[in-house]
C-alpha cells in the first residue's frame, strides 16, 4: 500500500450525546471485555482500578426536585495535540500514525507515569498490581488484545485492533478506504441507547463530521489546546459550563459557546 | 595495523559513536522492558478459530438477542444482536458481563454435592448424579408412601411461563403437592390488577413505542424495568428527535433516577401516594368530561351509580372519585400541586395516544394491587385499552399443551390439601404464591410441615424482604435441595446440590419477554459445552420423575428437556403464522396493525425448528385488537371499575364473620363500594413515625445486579465511589435531611428500623426526596467470592414489610428508620 501523507489520513473521533446517555455503564463493561481489562477485588479504589472508559456523574446542584444529573462517559480523548506524548522518555506513547490514534506501547512503557501526570483528562491508568482475573476468568480473555503487566500504563486505544482487522479485511478485498460502519469501537457498538457515534472527522460524509457542527457540540477543557477528538453534545448549559475551568470572575464567554443571556 | 595510542583513541571514540548510532543499546533497553514485563503472571489468551453463536440472554426475562463471540471453544465476549426484534442491538450492563458468570470458578458448583458436615459448615462431598437423583427420588417416594406428598415444597424463580417452570409445576402436581411457590414478581401484581378489572390472564403488553404521552407511575423504564434491552433501544430511537415529535414522558419518582432524569416532566409525590395522584387525574377527567364516553358507556361496569339484583343501590366510580379525590385533596395527600394535577390530566386527555403505566424495579418487586388498578383506571377512562399505543390485551402464546399429567390417589388427595402459604385460599384469593406466609406456616408449627424443599433459579435468602423468617424456616426444614449453579446464600444452606448449567451452557425459552407488546418466543442456545459436571434442571426434573416411578414417571414420558420444549413449539408452527427472522430494518412495533408479514417462510415443523434454533426468535408482527365483547372476561363481560371478583371473594371470606372483620383481616381500610374499586389506601408502617422519622426506600440500579444472579466484577467498575467505597455502601440523602441529622458527605451512620440495623455511609444528593433514605439493592452478600462477598449491606436485613391489602404481598417500600451518625 502506498504510504499516505498523515495530514490526509483519517482522523478518527467520537461524538457522545449526553442528552441520550443514561449512564448505564454498558460501554465501560463492553470496553473492559473487549480489551482484557483486569478487575480488582476493590474496584471502588478509583486511584488503583482500571477503567479505560470511566463514567462521571455531574449534577447541577439545584434543590430537589429541580436536580439534574448528567452522566459523562470519558474514554481517552485521543487528543490531536496530546500532552502525554512528548513527556514519555521511552517513546511508549505516540501520535504519529495516519489514523490520529494516540498509541500506548506496553512493552516499551517503563512505568514512570509522566504521561498520567500530563493527561488533563485522567484517561490513563497504571497497573499497580499483577493483572488479576477472578479464578477461571482468564478463560474469556481475547487474543486480539494483549493483557498488560504490572508496572505499565494503559488507556483507551479506540479499539485499535478493530481498526487493524478492518484494514486487513479491506486490504484483502483490494480496497484502500474503510466504510463508515467497518470500524466501530466496542463501546460505540455496545451503547444500548446509541449515544455514541464514531467515524473519521476528516471525512465530511461521516456522521461525526456533521454532528460536531451542531451548536451544542463541545469538548472537555478546550482552552488547554489539546484538541480532543472526542466531542460531546448536550443542550444543558450548566453542563457545558462545567466542561472548562474558569477563574473566579473570569467571563465564561470564552467557552466555545456564548452563554445564554438568562442562563 | 599498528596499535598506537592515537589509533586506540580513535578506535575507542569511534566505538562510542558507533554504539550510539547503532540500534543495539536501544534494542537492549527494549529487551529489558520485555524481559521484566513478561512474567508468567501475565495471562496468555488462548488462540483458536473465531466464531459466533446466536442466542438469547436469559439472565432476566427481557429476552435480548445476543451474539456470543468465541475463540476456539471459549466465550470471549457477548454482544447485542441488531437483528433481534426485542432489543435491536441493545444489552444491559449485566448481559454485557455474562462471560464472568460463566467462567467465575469461585462462585460455581461443579458437580452434585451432598452436605457432610453440619449445616452451614460448608463441608461437602461430591457425588454422582445417579446417587443424587436416586436418593432424592427415594425420599419423595417415602413422603408419598406415608400419604404426605404435600410435605414436598418448592420455591421456583424461573419465569412462570417458561418450560422449566411448567415442568417443575407438573412434577409437583404429579407427586400431589400443592406447595409449589413462585418467587415474587412485579408481574403478579399486574396479573391481579388485569384479572380484577378485565378478567384476563395474559402477559403485560404496553405498546409504549406507539404512544405519544407516557405517564409512568414509578415505572423505572430506563432503570432496568421490563425488557431492559427493549426499553433502552426504544429510548435511543427517539432521544434524538425534537421534543415535539417524540413521546412526552411524565415520570413519577421520589428520586432522580435515570428515568426521572430523562423524563420531560418529573413529579415527586410522597412515597406510596401514587394511587391518590392517579385518582386525582381521574377526578379531573371525569369532572371535565374529558374521558372516552364511548368506551366508558359501552364497555365498562360500575362507572355510574347502579342497583344490584337485590335492589341495593351502589355508588359508581365517578361518584366516589368526584367526591373523594378533588385536586385539592390529592394535593394534600401527595404533595403535588393541584394545578399540576389538573394540567397533567388535561395533557393526558388531549394526547392522541396516552398510556398510564405502573411498575416496580426490575420485575422482582411486587407492587400494590389497588395502586395498579387506580393507574389502569386512567387507561380505561381515556379508552386506551387494547388500542395502538395503549395497554394491549395480550394472550399467552399458542404453545402446544402437554398431555395431561397422571394422578394416582395419593396425588389427588394431596392436591386437595390447603397450601401452606394460603395463596389462592379465601384469605389471599388472587395471589399465586406468598413466601412470607409460607415461612410463617413453617415457623409456627411444632415440627416442620415441609420435609423436602426444592429451590431452583432463586436466591430467596438474599432477595426477599422478609428473609429473616425464611432463614428460620429453612433451618427447620429437614432436607433442602438446591438446583442453583451458584454458591449463593440459599444454596449454601442446602443439603443436596443438583447444579444447573449457567445460561450460556443451555437451551431455555422466554415466552413473551416482559412487557413486549407482540407475541414473541425467545429461545436460547448453548454457546459452549457445559464446563463442569452440571445438568440442565429440565433434564433433572424429567429424570427425577422417572426415578420416582408410578404415575409420576408416566407423566414425564420424555427423553430430554429439549424434546419437551420442541413439543410445545409445535403449537407455534400449527398457528400457521409467524416470523423466525428479523432483518433489523423496520421495528416490529411499527407494523402491529398492518397485518403484513404474517405468512411464515417455513414449510415444515423441522425446518421451522432448525431456523428457530439459528435465530432464537419466533414472533407475530401484529396484534389482534378484537372487539370489546370478546376481550373482557369479567363476570359482567365488561371492564369493571367495580370488581365483581373482589366482591365475590370478600363474600366468601366474610362468611361467618362480619364484613368489617374480613376487611380488617385483609388489610383494607376503605369501606363501602370503594373496597371493590380502584382507590388510594394509605399503607401504614408498623413503626411509629415519631420514633422512626425517616423512610427507607430500596432502589434498584441498572448497573448493579440485585436478583438471583450475583453482581459480576465488571459491574463493580461502574459503581461510583459515592455508592460503594471499600466495603461501605452509601445511601442517598437529601442535603436538608442530612443537615437535620448532622450528616455530611461520607459520614458513617447507623440505620435502624424496628427489625434491625445496618451501618452505611451517606451520599448527600439533591436528587433524593427529603425525609427519605434511598438504599441500593444487590450488595451485602454473605456468599459468592471475594469480588462480591462482604461488600456493602443488604437492605432487606432491616426492611420491616407490611402486607399489601388484598394481595398480601410484601410491601418493601414503607420501612421507617432512624439514622444516627457514628
Ligand atoms: S452505554 Fe451508552 S447510555 Fe450507557 S453509559 Fe455508555 S454511553 Fe451512556
Ligand atoms: S474506544 Fe475501545 S478502548 Fe476506547 S473506550 Fe471505547 S471500547 Fe474502550
Ligand atoms: S436486559 Fe436482561 S436480557 Fe437483556 S442483556 Fe440485560 S439481563 Fe440480558
Amino acid at each position: 500500500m502506498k504510504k499516505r501523507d498523515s495530514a490526509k489520513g483519517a482522523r478518527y473521533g467520537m461524538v457522545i450525546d449526553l442528552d441520550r446517555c443514561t449512564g448505564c455503564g454498558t460501554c465501560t463493561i463492553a470496553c473492559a471485555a473487549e480489551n482484557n481489562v483486569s478487575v480488582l477485588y476493590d474496584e471502588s479504589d478509583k486511584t488503583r482500578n482500571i477503567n479505560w472508559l470511566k463514567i462521571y456523574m455531574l449534577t447541577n446542584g439545584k434543590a430537589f426536585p429541580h436536580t439534574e444529573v448528567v452522566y459523562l462517559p470519558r474514554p481517552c480523548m485521543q487528543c490531536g495535540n496530546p500532552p502525554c506524548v512528548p513527556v514519555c522518555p521511552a517513546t511508549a506513547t505516540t501520535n504519529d500514525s495516519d489514523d490520529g490514534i494516540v498509541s500506548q506501547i506496553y512493552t516499551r512503557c517503563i512505568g514512570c507515569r509522566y504521561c498520567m501526570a500530563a493527561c488533563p483528562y485522567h484517561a490513563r491508568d497504571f497497573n499497580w498490581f499483577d493483572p488479576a482475573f477472578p479464578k477461571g476468568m482468564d478463560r474469556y480473555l481475547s487474543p486480539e488484545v494483549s493483557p498488560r503487566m504490572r508496572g505499565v500504563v494503559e488507556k483507551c486505544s479506540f479499539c485499535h485492533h478493530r481498526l487493524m482487522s478492518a484494514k486487513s479485511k479491506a486490504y484483502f478485498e483490494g480496497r484502500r478506504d474503510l466504510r463508515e460502519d467497518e470500524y466501530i469501537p466496542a463501546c460505540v457498538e455496545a451503547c444500548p441507547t446509541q449515544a455514541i457515534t464514531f467515524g473519521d472527522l476528516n471525512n465530511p460524509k461521516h456522521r461525526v463530521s456533521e454532528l460536531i457542527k451542531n451548536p451544542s457540540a463541545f469538548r472537555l477543557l478546550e482552552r488547554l489546546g489539546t484538541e480532543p477528538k472526542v466531542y460531546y453534545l448536550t443542550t444543558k448549559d450548566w453542563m457545558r459550563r462545567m466542561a472548562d475551568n474558569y477563574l473566579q470572575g473570569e467571563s465564561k464567554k470564552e467557552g466555545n459557546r456564548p452563554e445564554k443571556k438568562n442562563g | 595495523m599498528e596499535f598506537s595510542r592515537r589509533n586506540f583513541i580513535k578506535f575507542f571514540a569511534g566505538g562510542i559513536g558507533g554504539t550510539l548510532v547503532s540500534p543495539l543499546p536501544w534494542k537492549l533497553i527494549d529487551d529489558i522492558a520485555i524481559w521484566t514485563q513478561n512474567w508468567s503472571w501475565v495471562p496468555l489468551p488462548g488462540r483458536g478459530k473465531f466464531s459466533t453463536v446466536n442466542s438469547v440472554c436469559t439472565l432476566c426475562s427481557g429476552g435480548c438477542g445476543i451474539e456470543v463471540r468465541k475463540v476456539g471453544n471459549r466465550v470471549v465476549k457477548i454482544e447485542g444482536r441488531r437483528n433481534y426484534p426485542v432489543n435491536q442491538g441493545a444489552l444491559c450492563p449485566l448481559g454485557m458481563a455474562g462471560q464472568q458468570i460463566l467462567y467465575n470458578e469461585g462462585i460455581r458448583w461443579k458437580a452434585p454435592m451432598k452436605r457432610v458436615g453440619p449445616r452451614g459448615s460448608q463441608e461437602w462431598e461430591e457425588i454422582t448424579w445417579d446417587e443424587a437423583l436416586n436418593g432424592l427420588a427415594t425420599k419423595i417416594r417415602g413422603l408419598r408412601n406415608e400419604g404426605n406428598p404435600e410435605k414436598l415444597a418448592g420455591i421456583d424463580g424461573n419465569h412462570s411461563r417458561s418450560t422449566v417452570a411448567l415442568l417443575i409445576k407438573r412434577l409437583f402436581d404429579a407427586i400431589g403437592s400443592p406447595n409449589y411457590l413462585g418467587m415474587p414478581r412485579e408481574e403478579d401484581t399486574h396479573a391481579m390488577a388485569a384479572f380484577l378489572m378485565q378478567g384476563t390472564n395474559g402477559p403485560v403488553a404496553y405498546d409504549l413505542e406507539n404512544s405519544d404521552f407516557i405517564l409512568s407511575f414509578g415505572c423505572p423504564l430506563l432503570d432496568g424495568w421490563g425488557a431492559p434491552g427493549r426499553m433502552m433501544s426504544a429510548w435511543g430511537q427517539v432521544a434524538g428527535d425534537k421534543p415535539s415529535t417524540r413521546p412526552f414522558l411524565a415520570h413519577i419518582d421520589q428520586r432522580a433516577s435515570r428515568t426521572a432524569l430523562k423524563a420531560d416532566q418529573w413529579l415527586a409525590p410522597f412515597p406510596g401516594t401514587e394511587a391518590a395522584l392517579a385518582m386525582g387525574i381521574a377526578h379531573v377527567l371525569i369532572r371535565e368530561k374529558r374521558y372516552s364516553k364511548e368506551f366508558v358507556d359501552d364497555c365498562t361496569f360500575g362507572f355510574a351509580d347502579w342497583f344490584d339484583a337485590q335492589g341495593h343501590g351502589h355508588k359508581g366510580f365517578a361518584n366516589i372519585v368526584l367526591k373523594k379525590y378533588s385536586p385539592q385533596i390529592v394535593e394534600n395527600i401527595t404533595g403535588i400541586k393541584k394545578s399540576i394535577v389538573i394540567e397533567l390530566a388535561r395533557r393526558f386527555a388531549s394526547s392522541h395516544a396516552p398510556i398510564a403505566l405502573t411498575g416496580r424495579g426490575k420485575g422482582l418487586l411486587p407492587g400494590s394491587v389497588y395502586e395498579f388498578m387506580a393507574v389502569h383506571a386512567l387507561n380505561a377512562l381515556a379508552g386506551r385499552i387494547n388500542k395502538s399505543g395503549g395497554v394491549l390485551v395480550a394472550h399467552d402464546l399458542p404453545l402446544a399443551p402437554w398431555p395431561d399429567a397422571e394422578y394416582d390417589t395419593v396425588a389427588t388427595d394431596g392436591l386437595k390439601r390447603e397450601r401452606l402459604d394460603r395463596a389462592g385460599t379465601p384469605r389471599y384469593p388472587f395471589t399465586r404464591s406468598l413466601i412470607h406466609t409460607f415461612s410463617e406456616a413453617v415457623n409456627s408449627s411444632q415440627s416442620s410441615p415441609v420435609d423436602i424443599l426444592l429451590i431452583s433459579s432463586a436466591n430467596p435468602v438474599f432477595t426477599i424482604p422478609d428473609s429473616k423468617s425464611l432463614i428460620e424456616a429453612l433451618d427447620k426444614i429437614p432436607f433442602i435441595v438446591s438446583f442453583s449453579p451458584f454458591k449463593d446464600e440459599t444454596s449454601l444452606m442446602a443439603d443436596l446440590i443438583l447444579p444447573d448449567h449457567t445460561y450460556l451452557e443451555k437451551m431455555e425459552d422466554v415466552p413473551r419477554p416482559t412487557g413486549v407488546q407482540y407475541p414473541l418466543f425467545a429461545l436460547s442456545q448453548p454457546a459452549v459445552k457445559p464446563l463442569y459436571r452440571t445438568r440442565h434442571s429440565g433434564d433433572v426434573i424429567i429424570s427425577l420423575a422417572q426415578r420416582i416411578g408410578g404415575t409420576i414417571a408416566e407423566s414425564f414420558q420424555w427423553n430430554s428437556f429439549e424434546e419437551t420444549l420442541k413439543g410445545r413449539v409445535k403449537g407455534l408452527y400449527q398457528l400457521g403464522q409467524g416470523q423466525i427472522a428479523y432483518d433489523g430494518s423496520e421495528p416490529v412495533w411499527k407494523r402491529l396493525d398492518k397485518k403484513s408479514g404474517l405468512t411464515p417462510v417455513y414449510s415444515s415443523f423441522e425446518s421451522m425448528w432448525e431456523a428457530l434454533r439459528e435465530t432464537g426468535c419466533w414472533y407475530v408482527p401484529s396484534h389482534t385488537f378484537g372487539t370489546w365483547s370478546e376481550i373482557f372476561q369479567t363476570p359482567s363481560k365488561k371492564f369493571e371499575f367495580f370488581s365483581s371478583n373482589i366482591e365475590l371473594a370478600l363474600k366468601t371470606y366474610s362468611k361467618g364473620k362480619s364484613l368489617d372483620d374480613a376487611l380488617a383481616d385483609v388489610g383494607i381500610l376503605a369501606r363501602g363500594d370503594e373496597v371493590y374499586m380502584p382507590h388510594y389506601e394509605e399503607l401504614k408502617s408498623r413503626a411509629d413515625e415519631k420514633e422512626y422519622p425517616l423512610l427507607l426506600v430500596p432502589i434498584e440500579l441498572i448497573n448493579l445486579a440485585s436478583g438471583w444472579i450475583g453482581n459480576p466484577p465488571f459491574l463493580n467498575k461502574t459503581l461510583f465511589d459515592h455508592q460503594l467505597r471499600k466495603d461501605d455502601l452509601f445511601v442517598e440523602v437529601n442535603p436538608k435531611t442530612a443537615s437535620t441529622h448532622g450528616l455530611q458527605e461520607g459520614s458513617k451512620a447507623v440505620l435502624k428500623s424496628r427489625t434491625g440495623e445496618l451501618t452505611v455511609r451517606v451520599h448527600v444528593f439533591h436528587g433524593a426526596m427529603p425525609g427519605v433514605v434511598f438504599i441500593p439493592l444487590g450488595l451485602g452478600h454473605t456468599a459468592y467470592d471475594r469480588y462480591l462477598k462482604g461488600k456493602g449491606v443488604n437492605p432487606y436485613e432491616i426492611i420491616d414489610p407490611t402486607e399489601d391489602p388484598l394481595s398480601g404481598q410484601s410491601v418493601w417500600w414503607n420501612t421507617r428508620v432512624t439514622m444516627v451518625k457514628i
Side-chain angles (χ1 to χ4, degrees), chain B residues 269-270 273 275-281 283-284 287 319-339 341-342 674 680:
Chain B
F270 300 130
T273 64
L277 182 56
M279 299 305 283
I281 295 172
H283 175 104
V284 179
R287 191 183 63 194
N319 192 337
I320 289 179
V321 170
L322 287 177
K323 212 165 274 161
K324 293 194 68 175
Y325 297 99
S326 71
Q328 185 57 56
I329 297 173
V330 167
E331 174 175 335
N332 298 343
I333 302 174
T334 63
I336 299 287
K337 288 221 166 53
K338 60 178 179 200
S339 57
V341 177
I342 295 171
E674 207 176 1
Y680 164 64

Side-chain angles (χ1 to χ4, degrees), chain A residues 14 31 35 52-53 75 156-159 185-187:
Chain A
M14 209 179 250
C31 172
N35 293 296
W52 289 11
L53 201 181
C156 155
S157 65
F158 260 9
C159 291
C187 55

Side-chain angles (χ1 to χ4, degrees), chain B residues 543-667:
Chain B
S543 164
L544 180 65
Q546 287 168 353
R547 284 167 212 248
I548 298 170
T551 43
I552 301 148
E554 283 163 34
S555 306
F556 284 80
Q557 298 285 7
W558 297 287
N559 295 314
S560 68
F561 173 73
E562 189 174 327
E563 193 186 313
T564 62
L565 184 62
K566 204 169 157 180
R568 295 185 80 207
V569 171
K570 276 216 176 94
L572 302 181
Y573 173 74
Q574 280 151 4
L575 183 73
Q577 281 188 351
Q579 298 296 316
I580 20 134
Y582 172 69
D583 63 7
S585 57
E586 192 186 19
V588 177
W589 54 265
K590 281 198 180 154
R591 336 182 223 150
L592 291 188
D593 46 8
K594 284 194 196 144
K595 301 264 172 250
S596 62
L598 297 183
T599 332
V601 291
Y602 40 80
S603 51
S604 69
F605 175 64
E606 283 306 321
S607 67
M608 168 191 173
W609 178 251
E610 279 317 305
L612 178 59
R613 293 200 56 165
E614 178 51 40
T615 63
C617 64
W618 171 93
Y619 64 100
V620 182
S622 130
H623 176 77
T624 316
F625 289 93
T627 53
W628 297 119
S629 58
E630 320 163 334
I631 288 170
F632 301 122
Q633 301 294 319
T634 52
S636 65
K637 296 277 173 257
K638 291 188 165 177
F639 180 94
E640 294 192 344
F641 285 109
F642 180 99
S643 170
S644 321
N645 278 317
I646 298 183
E647 191 189 28
L648 279 175
L650 284 172
K651 244 184 212 144
T652 316
Y653 186 57
S654 59
K655 246 180 214 136
K657 59 182 134 194
S658 76
L659 182 62
D660 264 352
D661 287 351
L663 291 174
D665 264 10
V666 184

Side-chain angles (χ1 to χ4, degrees), chain A residues 20 22-23 41 44 50 139, chain B residues 74 236 258 717 726 791:
Chain A
R20 194 183 281 244
T22 65
Y41 289 123
S44 78
I50 298 183
R139 283 176 286 185
Chain B
R74 299 182 302 121
R258 293 182 157 91
K717 282 189 181 294
K726 287 241 183 307
K791 287 191 196 300

